[in-house]
Amino acid sequence: MKGFDIERLAEDEDAVSLLLIANPFSHQPRLDGLDRLVLIVKDDEVADKEIEHWMWDDARVQVRRVSREQLESWIVGSSNRGSAYWLMHGEILVDRDGYLADLRSRLLDWSPLIREQKLLSEFSRFVRGCLQAKQDLKDGQVLDAYSNVLACLHYWAHIALVEEGMHPESTVWEQMRKVNPGIYKLFEELTTSSETLEQRVQLVLLACEFSIMNKMETCCELLIRLIASRHEAWTPAELMRHPDLAGLSLELSVLLYKLVNRGCIREIAKPAPSLGNGTLELKYTSA
């Protein structure tokens, strides 16, 4: 941006990297009403002023501050789907240690770790949504079941796109119409079929459950391999602190439960003297 002192901003912010996105909200300009996005990547967590709005040469600028860990969590998760677009299409203005350039390269090339993290993250939400929808139906809450099954289809669609080496976009159903007509057909069945709402939910839920069984081992490959990487059993907290999982938004308890039932990993109970009263602590190891 003309007259914008990038170096001074980077120095004042103690930034690792700065990224400028000229049209960050091209898919929803009326919702955001902003012309530019400056993404400031920092080493430490951002305690305050995470988001600010500035006016610069008649341009409305959103300034976002984010840690490396948070940015990578956005990319592999679903909490900020625009982050992958920003990184792929933005202009790197400052990159003190080549961090953003390396992350962009890994994202564009679908590095094995990012792909596995993305699959695991989306799959955990897929499983959680499916279980919640089943519970909603059992409780007679058909509308809630519908909402959760619709969310499941979105997670399933994201998984299918990642498997094809594509990044999920905001127009995910346009992507699915071309990439996976089967999932798109289920979306149509759920939203436009003439059957009762409960019948539609039950039909799509069955398809989701079948897909979960088929995709469990491939989508959870990262977690299964991590658990098998040492002889000592893991606690859930130890798993979440591992660098390959740290920062990911995972439904870890649900995944561990499903993997144990499928026989992909083992659950072992060990005495926990610190808890007393004969309490056993559950840990997880390879099958």
Side-chain angles (χ1 to χ4, degrees):
M1 291 179 291
K2 185 178 179 181
F4 201 80
D5 193 340
I6 295 299
E7 287 295 335
R8 181 175 178 180
L9 176 63
E11 184 176 339
D12 290 347
E13 293 281 348
D14 192 24
V16 174
S17 306
L18 259 71
L19 185 72
L20 172 66
I21 302 92
N23 191 12
F25 310 106
S26 57
H27 59 287
Q28 51 184 30
R30 292 183 182 274
L31 294 183
D32 294 277
L34 295 159
D35 306 304
R36 302 285 188 275
L37 169 66
V38 175
L39 190 67
I40 301 173
V41 183
K42 303 169 75 75
D43 273 323
D44 302 321
E45 289 189 14
V46 180
D48 58 357
K49 291 188 176 181
E50 182 180 347
I51 299 177
E52 290 183 299
H53 288 177
W54 296 353
M55 181 69 78
W56 195 274
D57 285 345
D58 295 327
R60 298 171 62 84
V61 182
Q62 181 181 113
V63 178
R64 299 197 69 158
R65 298 168 180 85
V66 63
S67 67
R68 300 189 198 213
E69 183 177 292
Q70 183 63 56
L71 177 58
E72 294 185 31
S73 176
W74 283 352
I75 288 171
V76 299
S78 299
S79 60
N80 192 328
R81 208 175 305 162
S83 56
Y85 172 87
W86 299 343
L87 185 57
M88 289 189 292
H89 298 282
E91 178 186 356
I92 298 176
L93 302 176
V94 175
D95 204 15
R96 304 214 185 279
D97 58 3
Y99 168 71
L100 276 185
D102 176 68
L103 183 58
R104 173 184 282 175
S105 176
R106 287 188 282 131
L107 183 61
L108 290 172
D109 295 339
W110 271 117
S111 76
L113 179 58
I114 287 182
R115 183 180 185 276
E116 288 181 330
Q117 288 175 327
K118 182 71 173 173
L119 286 174
L120 185 64
S121 179
E122 297 289 359
F123 185 76
S124 77
R125 292 179 174 87
F126 186 24
V127 174
R128 167 62 76 180
C130 188
L131 291 174
Q132 185 61 60
K134 286 182 68 176
Q135 185 63 50
D136 290 335
L137 280 181
K138 184 178 179 181
D139 295 341
Q141 303 298 326
V142 179
L143 287 175
D144 290 319
Y146 173 84
S147 295
N148 281 301
V149 167
L150 183 58
C152 283
L153 285 179
H154 276 84
Y155 298 135
W156 188 359
H158 294 170
I159 290 169
L161 289 168
V162 173
E163 288 174 334
E164 292 295 323
M166 301 173 65
H167 292 281
E169 299 173 359
S170 58
T171 54
V172 67
W173 293 113
E174 283 301 313
Q175 289 180 287
M176 292 312 296
R177 191 198 298 267
K178 303 171 185 175
V179 173
N180 194 313
I183 298 177
Y184 184 81
K185 181 65 176 176
L186 286 172
F187 174 70
E188 286 189 321
E189 287 286 337
L190 181 64
T191 56
T192 64
S193 172
S194 61
E195 294 179 323
T196 68
L197 185 61
E198 185 170 2
Q199 288 173 328
R200 284 181 271 156
V201 169
Q202 289 173 337
L203 173 66
V204 176
L205 191 54
L206 282 174
C208 288
E209 290 181 306
F210 183 74
S211 176
I212 285 171
M213 294 300 293
N214 282 341
K215 294 183 178 296
M216 186 176 300
E217 291 187 47
T218 55
C219 287
C220 295
E221 185 177 352
L222 173 61
L223 180 57
I224 294 170
R225 188 175 66 248
L226 176 57
I227 289 173
S229 67
R230 74 181 196 189
H231 294 297
E232 184 183 353
W234 297 77
T235 66
E238 288 174 330
L239 288 169
M240 288 307 301
R241 285 196 298 268
H242 190 277
D244 288 352
L245 301 185
L248 298 185
S249 178
L250 290 180
E251 300 286 352
L252 184 61
S253 296
V254 169
L255 290 179
L256 293 172
Y257 172 75
K258 285 288 187 181
L259 289 171
V260 167
N261 284 348
R262 186 68 181 271
C264 299
I265 61 174
R266 287 189 298 125
E267 181 182 79
I268 59 175
K270 290 191 172 184
S274 61
L275 299 177
N277 300 320
T279 302
L280 300 176
E281 183 178 18
L282 297 178
K283 295 186 177 183
Y284 302 89
T285 189
S286 59

